[in-house]
Amino acid sequence: MARLPRIADLTPNVSGWSFFLCTRKETRVGRTGNPYLEIGLQDASGEARAKVFQDVDAITLEFDAGEFVKAQGRSNVYQGRTEIILDKIRRVIDRDRAEGFREEECIRCAPRPVDEMWTELLARLDSVQDPQLRSLLLRIVRTHEERLRIWPAARVVHHAYRSGLLEHILQIMKVSLFLADEYGARRDLLVAGALLHDIGKLREMSYETTTDYTVEGNLVGHIVIGIGMLHDAVREEPGVPAELVTEIEHLILSHHGSLELGSPVVPKTIEAFLLAAVDDLDAKLHQIRQHLEADDTPGRFTAMHKRLDRSLLKPSGS
Amino acid sequence: MARLPRIADLTPNVSGWSFFLCTRKETRVGRTGNPYLEIGLQDASGEARAKVFQDVDAITLEFDAGEFVKAQGRSNVYQGRTEIILDKIRRVIDRDRAEGFREEECIRCAPRPVDEMWTELLARLDSVQDPQLRSLLLRIVRTHEERLRIWPAARVVHHAYRSGLLEHILQIMKVSLFLADEYGARRDLLVAGALLHDIGKLREMSYETTTDYTVEGNLVGHIVIGIGMLHDAVREEPGVPAELVTEIEHLILSHHGSLELGSPVVPKTIEAFLLAAVDDLDAKLHQIRQHLEADDTPGRFTAMHKRLDRSLLKPSGS
Amino acid sequence: MARLPRIADLTPNVSGWSFFLCTRKETRVGRTGNPYLEIGLQDASGEARAKVFQDVDAITLEFDAGEFVKAQGRSNVYQGRTEIILDKIRRVIDRDRAEGFREEECIRCAPRPVDEMWTELLARLDSVQDPQLRSLLLRIVRTHEERLRIWPAARVVHHAYRSGLLEHILQIMKVSLFLADEYGARRDLLVAGALLHDIGKLREMSYETTTDYTVEGNLVGHIVIGIGMLHDAVREEPGVPAELVTEIEHLILSHHGSLELGSPVVPKTIEAFLLAAVDDLDAKLHQIRQHLEADDTPGRFTAMHKRLDRSLLKPSGS
Amino acid sequence: MARLPRIADLTPNVSGWSFFLCTRKETRVGRTGNPYLEIGLQDASGEARAKVFQDVDAITLEFDAGEFVKAQGRSNVYQGRTEIILDKIRRVIDRDRAEGFREEECIRCAPRPVDEMWTELLARLDSVQDPQLRSLLLRIVRTHEERLRIWPAARVVHHAYRSGLLEHILQIMKVSLFLADEYGARRDLLVAGALLHDIGKLREMSYETTTDYTVEGNLVGHIVIGIGMLHDAVREEPGVPAELVTEIEHLILSHHGSLELGSPVVPKTIEAFLLAAVDDLDAKLHQIRQHLEADDTPGRFTAMHKRLDRSLLKPSGS
Amino acid sequence: MARLPRIADLTPNVSGWSFFLCTRKETRVGRTGNPYLEIGLQDASGEARAKVFQDVDAITLEFDAGEFVKAQGRSNVYQGRTEIILDKIRRVIDRDRAEGFREEECIRCAPRPVDEMWTELLARLDSVQDPQLRSLLLRIVRTHEERLRIWPAARVVHHAYRSGLLEHILQIMKVSLFLADEYGARRDLLVAGALLHDIGKLREMSYETTTDYTVEGNLVGHIVIGIGMLHDAVREEPGVPAELVTEIEHLILSHHGSLELGSPVVPKTIEAFLLAAVDDLDAKLHQIRQHLEADDTPGRFTAMHKRLDRSLLKPSGS
Amino acid sequence: MARLPRIADLTPNVSGWSFFLCTRKETRVGRTGNPYLEIGLQDASGEARAKVFQDVDAITLEFDAGEFVKAQGRSNVYQGRTEIILDKIRRVIDRDRAEGFREEECIRCAPRPVDEMWTELLARLDSVQDPQLRSLLLRIVRTHEERLRIWPAARVVHHAYRSGLLEHILQIMKVSLFLADEYGARRDLLVAGALLHDIGKLREMSYETTTDYTVEGNLVGHIVIGIGMLHDAVREEPGVPAELVTEIEHLILSHHGSLELGSPVVPKTIEAFLLAAVDDLDAKLHQIRQHLEADDTPGRFTAMHKRLDRSLLKPSGS
């Protein structure tokens, strides 16, 4: 039997097998009164719903949510959405690696290749004019490179996948620099702010196949964790003037834009206003795009988006 | 005696005369118990404080707030700010025109020349892909050209000067189009939204030397007035598809971003989210810049900005 | 077998058949583990719950939610509420018309006959003093007569049934005119405001057997749609003075009473205050009465009313 | 010299004298640097501004704010408003009574005669169907007759003058009874609620020439004071069923409509919803009318009304 | 078979029988598709989950939620929590009393013995300096002794068990008196406030095996009911000075701290601030402790606490 | 001439001289039209109003607000409040020191002697059980001893005087430890939290004779500055377990109790709830006491307290 295409490329009526991360596993009762399994499967390109209707009692013992699985079945369209009706599914075993199983291919990833993004990041940092600031930022990037390359930007809200944080940082940087030129803001500060505003997420969340909040993340939060990470770097690289460091701290602290949203201080510089606005916009648009893609309700409007508290007009062509 | 330089270029200890708009006139009592006049003077480049200490009783009869005046005196620095101590001030008379009095030179203007801005606007409209929409937008611009060239964007909050609305529209357009490309939004819609979001201000406010709200402005507001102006144009130019018109209406209606801020509907399309965010950012940054320029308090932070409810860090060099 | 009485008149232990609109159809599992159907049935007088316990698999294929049905069974009391245990239910077919099937008798209606309400509306319009305004209002009523006679006032909240909008308009008119006399407000304006405040609902919602929001309804909303409908009429009937039209626009725009509730301007005339208060009161009292009627919890207080965020004291006699 | 007409009837350029309550007395400095007195004068019909320009040092010793005064001068129009330029003003002395001084004629009063209002109140109470409730309400009215006839409804907000509370009660009663019939509410309960909702104001405020809050008023508030007054009456007149008393307590307690506005419980009966809506409407319309009358700004809109947070359209004819 | 230990002392794998209150009874479907009963059982020490897997159809007829039951089974650990798998369960019958059935041992109770708490309460009242106030408070306590000894403090939120109100009062008293000394507040007033702030709950809620709101509780609320109970006592014991009574009323009325939380007046004395703060703290800490105890989620943080809108860090040792 | 007593002990009609800090200096115009000086004078015990009526033009040159002054005059009662009518006032000069001028005696101080408070602080730290935590806290205290002994707790709100921060810390500590025992919280954590919650104020504000916010204070805020100070100490004293440090960080970060009040995280441990409640209570009661002392309005209630948004009942005896 052939290997299935990536989830994002799956069309109806294709049979085959592949490796996935199982994100969800629930026993449900169908309209005829028989139990079946409803399963979430993920690969680098996206997430799909799958179902098991036969041998439910036996198959349910072969895997659990949170495990990598090998699954086999046929794609199908139900309520306007492609899903997979599975014949077999079991947890991955050692020799699957020989058949091509790779963890990172079973976990949702940012759409751009990570190496390409990393190169762009270093180029942005090279463009910083102040040599001491540039040196500080490069040190931070080197120190945290391992996590910074793969971390998600959030557990569920937006960019919640492998390398999502890096993708978000680069987008914030690009838009902020455009606006810096439009509104006469300092580019160096905005490169620093874009890089560091969410840097505390590297310790706020743990991340392996799934993302979770750490004790420090829950009790301190990424904004203040990020301040500590900046301090650690400044101690190694003490040449940056104190007031410039204070302004960068201010960018990190105020980037949620208001106290109600968790910033302990509100933006008080042009750069802080810009960064908070750009971060908010990027996060919102990412959520919107995701909601439009995921929605499978009938009609011209999506289901309610809880966080945004509204339904959205679907693009005409869709 | 020589003519004074423009207010924005005024340095201390310069004597001379010039024409201004008098924006404010108050009788105050000095520390010695004598009355003096405190006066606001405006030209195209900005606004300055002036004072009359001598012949107060006689001079006060020679002009009023809201009138154009000819004034003569010497610039001075008081509490870190340049002001003008006047010897003479009187309302403008007919023959002053012969000496070079021009109303438009005594009223605050946008920094860019209006013709240059107008050319940019037409070029933006020419870039619209859909020929019927382009035609509709050009018609609207032609219909309202006279006001659109000179109208302010607000009575006091931001861009509150001659041609401020045009300046604001162009900036919104430029930033929106950049973001449209970044986030995959439709450029045509954003050109339309940037042009039309505040178009109702042409009827919401009356504008001669000063700006004021009309009865319609107070009872209907610029958002809904703008919808009516769009309908009027659509009737003449009926080729634009109904749903596209509805989406443009939505951009106008939702551009304040939330019900609390006066939009009767919240943004429900990517373009509506973008436009509301860009409009908010442009208005806020304009207020910030203005506040930083106008502030004359001592110390590293400005006085409280009431609308923004915070004081701002002054740029280090200032 | 006899025909069943109207739902509002149904008593326990009556057998028979009738025509209904099926509003809801769900498969559930009973306490013995067997599936049954839970069904919502509607006629002009109200809504009842029905259940099918036998031949579930076969019967479920014979009809769907949203269809008119012929159903036969026996009324029963369960948890203090009358429901119908069905033996048969199937979708309506052509020859049912011969047996007396009429769509309008299967859809919830306002309690008063529509012709009686229409006569009252015309009499109210005739009482308008200003001949040009009277002429304008009559034109609007004639233009939209077809929908205005049958439209509901809302999808779910209040007066959410056939001719509910007309019922709501008349009640608003009656109460507003009483208060106009009490508080010295202008009667003509209040007749206009009562007629037009929700007129945009004729395009905000589509309505056949069920009610739904249109694209325009979602993106523009009934308040601003109503303004456009007024403008259309004014163009045909241009004699009404501009400021009077502006005051009527203000009544429409401000009738939700505050920005948070979706009005783009707050009431600024006595008539606008009155209309907003009367509209709010009528909508609230309708919801209260409906909640009291529908409630079937034990005890002296109803279940929580979500929108009103409280439970209500039941009348002592009930 | 002739006696001046009542303040409400004062026209420009009338000379004469009269008795007033002095409500305000301030020393100000004119534009020429000379001090003058600005004074508030009140009679039963309204309030006027007065000024003393001559002999300021001597005259200022002859009276104080809060005292009844005899004043003589000439009416004048300043900034579109009638004021009185005084030659003489002094506090009232014993023999002024012989010239016709009456305290109650120098204090602002409700427009309708108090005896007429009292008769209307008793007629309303007579219409109560339940004999025990009628008896209870009559007892309350008799017990508190002295204060109930003259008390104001508030210190500053609305109906803030002699007999204002009675005027407010009667208006609430009339409107509530109309709505009771419209919406099927119980008339008896609404008569009770209208009478008693603000009855605690008789102890919340002290009232002689001026109104002030008592210690009990500040610490307990009129809502809960009113409950105590109802309990006192019920003890004397114990025949009213307990649950009816509880429903009347509920009317008193919930009449501000929401917790934020000081009601410890929200309305949970139809009558409570009605009463809260009618009370709010009556208070708001009274404030609006008062603001329209008092406003003397130029233009079509009034100055900002602080409590209502808006400016109002002035009636066209004014 | 042996009797089971108290719920709070139950360990896994213990078999036996005991008497309980059944608080919840639901039919569910297991993963194999078979129905089972999920049951809540309560004794004085706490609450446990129980299940019946066999003879479900027969056993379900033997008892209902809200009844006292005799149950027999074996304790088990499921998802980190002890539950009881029942073989038998039936409603209590008369002769169970002979085997030791006592209602009060099957209902959740405050942890301290009620007699010990009562003695402490009387000692606190004896410490009141003002003899008339002391006498008044003792009268109130004697009048309501029966309920005051056993009433819960709430239906669900905190101290929602037998004698919970008394426990809460004593804790408030102890903490308030400590703070009175720290901040120079009047001890007598705080004893009165602690005793009386929630006294209205004796009539706001009915309480037998379960707690529910009365009609008076719903329409008037415990705050205002408490004022009436204070008045009743004052009438019998009229010696306490009026202003002292008013200050105590103020303590009762303002103890929720703000209008939004249901107090009709905000605290305006030092004692009122203290009492509101202590009451809020005691209620919050009780909820926290309860949530920490009840939580059975994995990880270092509890599930979301809805009222407090956060999850809590679990103590390290747990 | 004799030296005046301390401001707190000043009685009417005492003549003499003393040294003060001048906190305020304004030129005003009296009712006769003559200018006079209104001055604020401060010593360790409090603040008083003073006035200069003679030689105003000359005397005004002899001192400025913010300077220490020598002043001579006579105490007087005006509007129920003691003030000083000055004959002479001039800035302090070098030889005044010989006459007994000491800066610290002219600046408002906490009521308790600083050495006594310091001893209490060290004793509290000694009571910490965990030796590593004790060592860490003692290091922090030693590092910052100079400022910690004299710093105010705020610029204006509460404890806004010399050593006010230390006074506030000790009070928080005492009350927290009492509550720790009552509610089973960890004493060590609460000693740490009380000491460190406001420690960032040592860098948030500059303090010499007056208090002001630093750039870091404005851009970062005392909460996050305090985290940095804790990190600095932990680096020197690395033995404290990481999770204990995280819990202390949480205490500092969450001590404002909610995001709206500037805490970037809400309390999630019992100790964090306690600390936030105690801090809020101590700050509020300090403001109340201060407002009651400063108030000089007539009547039983104080003027409005802006921050608390209410007026307060004055103690009966006052």
Side-chain angles (χ1 to χ4, degrees), chain B residues 139-199:
Chain B
R139 169 179 295 272
I140 291 171
V141 158
R142 276 195 311 272
T143 306
H144 301 287
E145 174 166 357
E146 195 182 350
R147 291 191 165 195
L148 200 47
R149 292 175 74 102
I150 63 167
W151 232 242
R155 204 169 64 84
V156 284
V157 185
H158 68 98
H159 299 85
Y161 44 63
R162 193 179 162 94
S163 304
L165 180 57
L166 183 54
E167 184 193 6
H168 175 60
I169 286 172
L170 289 176
Q171 185 66 10
I172 297 300
M173 227 175 244
K174 185 173 181 191
V175 175
S176 298
L177 288 173
F178 169 81
L179 293 171
D181 294 346
E182 279 308 309
Y183 289 105
R186 289 165 289 171
R187 294 177 62 98
D188 276 11
L189 266 177
L190 282 165
V191 171
L195 174 65
L196 298 176
H197 77 290
D198 274 351
I199 198 84

Side-chain angles (χ1 to χ4, degrees), chain D:
Chain D
M1 204 173 220
R3 187 138 178 191
L4 288 165
R6 297 190 327 157
I7 284 171
D9 304 330
L10 197 63
T11 51
N13 290 314
V14 180
S15 294
W17 62 270
S18 195
F19 298 110
F20 303 96
L21 175 66
C22 170
T23 57
R24 194 165 52 89
K25 173 188 154 191
E26 290 161 22
T27 308
R28 298 204 176 167
V29 177
R31 68 161 67 170
T32 59
N34 295 325
Y36 67 94
L37 297 178
E38 172 149 330
I39 297 165
L41 296 181
Q42 195 179 80
D43 69 12
S45 75
E47 188 148 355
R49 188 166 55 190
K51 288 173 183 163
V52 173
F53 288 112
Q54 289 174 331
D55 296 321
V56 169
D57 282 5
I59 284 183
T60 197
L61 303 173
E62 304 244 350
F63 72 107
D64 268 312
E67 293 181 326
F68 292 103
V69 294
K70 183 175 181 188
Q72 176 181 311
R74 181 178 198 82
S75 60
N76 182 31
V77 174
Y78 182 69
Q79 293 176 339
R81 213 169 178 192
T82 303
E83 58 182 31
I84 314 175
I85 308 305
L86 299 178
D87 307 318
K88 300 183 188 169
I89 175 168
R90 62 154 175 80
R91 63 180 58 86
V92 155
I93 52 180
D94 275 359
R95 66 182 156 77
D96 287 335
R97 217 164 280 276
E99 281 193 72
F101 166 65
R102 298 287 174 275
E103 277 90 348
E104 66 269 28
E105 293 176 1
C106 300
I107 293 175
R108 275 212 72 185
C109 286
R112 293 176 62 195
V114 67
D115 285 333
E116 179 189 313
M117 293 196 288
W118 195 254
T119 305
E120 182 180 323
L121 178 68
L122 294 179
R124 291 283 187 205
L125 300 186
D126 264 346
S127 80
V128 169
Q129 300 284 308
D130 180 322
Q132 286 162 322
L133 177 59
R134 188 170 60 237
S135 176
L136 177 72
L137 299 181
L138 284 167
R139 169 180 293 273
I140 291 172
V141 157
R142 276 195 310 271
T143 306
H144 301 288
E145 175 167 357
E146 196 183 349
R147 292 191 165 197
L148 201 46
R149 292 175 74 102
I150 63 168
W151 232 243
R155 205 170 64 85
V156 285
V157 185
H158 69 98
H159 300 86
Y161 45 63
R162 193 179 162 96
S163 305
L165 180 58
L166 183 54
E167 185 193 7
H168 175 61
I169 286 171
L170 289 176
Q171 185 66 8
I172 296 301
M173 228 175 244
K174 186 174 181 191
V175 175
S176 298
L177 289 173
F178 169 81
L179 293 171
D181 294 345
E182 280 309 308
Y183 290 105
R186 289 164 288 171
R187 294 177 62 98
D188 276 11
L189 267 176
L190 282 165
V191 171
L195 174 65
L196 298 175
H197 77 292
D198 275 350
I199 198 82
K201 291 195 168 177
L202 301 182
R203 269 164 41 193
E204 186 189 41
M205 300 180 297
S206 62
Y207 172 65
E208 293 199 61
T209 55
T210 58
T211 312
D212 216 340
Y213 287 103
T214 60
V215 170
E216 191 187 18
N218 253 307
L219 294 186
V220 176
H222 72 273
I223 284 185
V224 178
I225 294 172
I227 294 293
M229 292 166 74
L230 172 60
H231 286 172
D232 289 345
V234 166
R235 202 163 303 109
E236 307 286 323
E237 198 85 41
V240 184
E243 185 161 326
L244 185 55
V245 173
T246 300
E247 283 211 45
I248 296 172
E249 291 182 64
H250 181 65
L251 288 175
I252 299 173
L253 291 170
S254 69
H255 87 268
H256 283 189
S258 69
L259 303 193
E260 292 76 16
L261 299 174
S263 272
V265 288
V266 294
K268 295 178 179 177
T269 63
I270 288 184
E271 290 77 18
F273 268 93
L274 273 181
L275 184 66
V278 170
D279 181 47
D280 182 57
L281 185 65
D282 190 58
K284 283 229 185 81
L285 289 180
H286 202 271
Q287 290 174 66
I288 291 168
R289 203 162 283 298
Q290 207 166 266
H291 189 64
L292 288 170
E293 277 162 21
D295 189 79
D296 58 354
T297 55
R300 292 299 314 281
F301 284 83
T302 65
M304 203 69 168
H305 186 292
K306 288 222 181 97
R307 228 160 228 281
L308 298 174
D309 190 29
R310 71 197 70 179
S311 56
L312 302 167
L313 178 67
K314 298 179 194 170
S316 317
S318 72

Side-chain angles (χ1 to χ4, degrees), chain C residues 250-297:
Chain C
H250 181 65
L251 288 175
I252 298 172
L253 292 170
S254 70
H255 87 267
H256 284 189
S258 69
L259 303 192
E260 293 76 15
L261 299 173
S263 273
V265 289
V266 293
K268 295 178 180 179
T269 63
I270 288 185
E271 290 78 16
F273 269 92
L274 274 181
L275 183 66
V278 171
D279 181 47
D280 182 57
L281 185 66
D282 189 58
K284 283 228 185 82
L285 289 180
H286 202 271
Q287 289 175 66
I288 291 169
R289 203 163 285 295
Q290 207 166 268
H291 189 65
L292 288 170
E293 278 162 21
D295 190 80
D296 59 353
T297 55

Side-chain angles (χ1 to χ4, degrees), chain A residues 172-230:
Chain A
I172 297 299
M173 227 175 244
K174 186 173 180 192
V175 175
S176 297
L177 288 173
F178 169 80
L179 292 171
D181 295 345
E182 279 309 307
Y183 289 105
R186 289 165 288 172
R187 294 176 64 97
D188 276 11
L189 267 176
L190 283 165
V191 171
L195 173 65
L196 299 175
H197 77 291
D198 273 351
I199 198 83
K201 291 194 168 177
L202 301 183
R203 270 165 41 196
E204 186 189 41
M205 300 179 299
S206 62
Y207 173 65
E208 294 200 60
T209 56
T210 58
T211 312
D212 216 339
Y213 288 103
T214 61
V215 170
E216 191 187 18
N218 253 307
L219 294 186
V220 176
H222 71 273
I223 283 186
V224 177
I225 294 173
I227 295 292
M229 291 166 75
L230 171 60

Side-chain angles (χ1 to χ4, degrees), chain E residues 171-172 174-175 178-179 182-186 243 247 257 266-270 273-274 277-278 281-286 288-289 292 300-301 308-316, chain F residues 171-172 174-175 178-179 182-186 243 247 257 266-270 273-274 277-278 281-286 288-289 292 300-301 308-316:
Chain E
Q171 185 66 9
I172 296 299
K174 185 174 182 191
V175 175
F178 169 80
L179 292 172
E182 279 309 307
Y183 290 104
R186 288 165 290 171
E243 187 162 324
E247 284 211 45
V266 294
K268 295 179 180 177
T269 64
I270 288 185
F273 269 93
L274 274 181
V278 170
L281 186 66
D282 190 57
K284 284 229 185 82
L285 288 180
H286 203 271
I288 292 169
R289 202 162 285 296
L292 288 170
R300 293 297 314 280
F301 285 83
L308 298 175
D309 189 27
R310 71 196 70 179
S311 57
L312 302 168
L313 177 68
K314 298 179 193 169
S316 320
Chain F
Q171 185 66 8
I172 297 300
K174 186 173 180 191
V175 175
F178 169 81
L179 292 171
E182 280 308 307
Y183 289 104
R186 289 165 288 173
E243 187 161 325
E247 283 212 46
V266 293
K268 295 180 179 175
T269 64
I270 288 184
F273 269 94
L274 273 181
V278 170
L281 186 65
D282 190 57
K284 283 230 186 80
L285 289 180
H286 202 272
I288 291 169
R289 203 162 283 297
L292 287 170
R300 293 299 314 281
F301 284 83
L308 299 174
D309 191 27
R310 71 197 71 180
S311 56
L312 303 167
L313 178 67
K314 298 178 194 170
S316 318

Side-chain angles (χ1 to χ4, degrees), chain F residues 1 30 35 38 44 62 93 103 105 119 126-127 143 162 171 182 212 218 220 232 236 246 258 285 294 304 311 315:
Chain F
M1 205 172 219
E38 172 148 331
E62 305 245 349
I93 50 179
E103 277 90 349
E105 294 177 0
T119 305
D126 265 346
S127 79
T143 306
R162 191 178 163 97
Q171 185 66 8
E182 280 308 307
D212 216 340
N218 253 307
V220 177
D232 289 345
E236 307 287 322
T246 300
S258 69
L285 289 180
M304 203 69 168
S311 56

Side-chain angles (χ1 to χ4, degrees), chain E residues 139-163:
Chain E
R139 170 179 293 271
I140 291 171
V141 158
R142 277 194 310 270
T143 306
H144 302 287
E145 175 166 357
E146 196 182 348
R147 293 190 164 195
L148 200 47
R149 292 175 74 104
I150 63 166
W151 233 242
R155 205 170 63 86
V156 284
V157 185
H158 68 98
H159 300 85
Y161 45 62
R162 192 178 162 95
S163 304

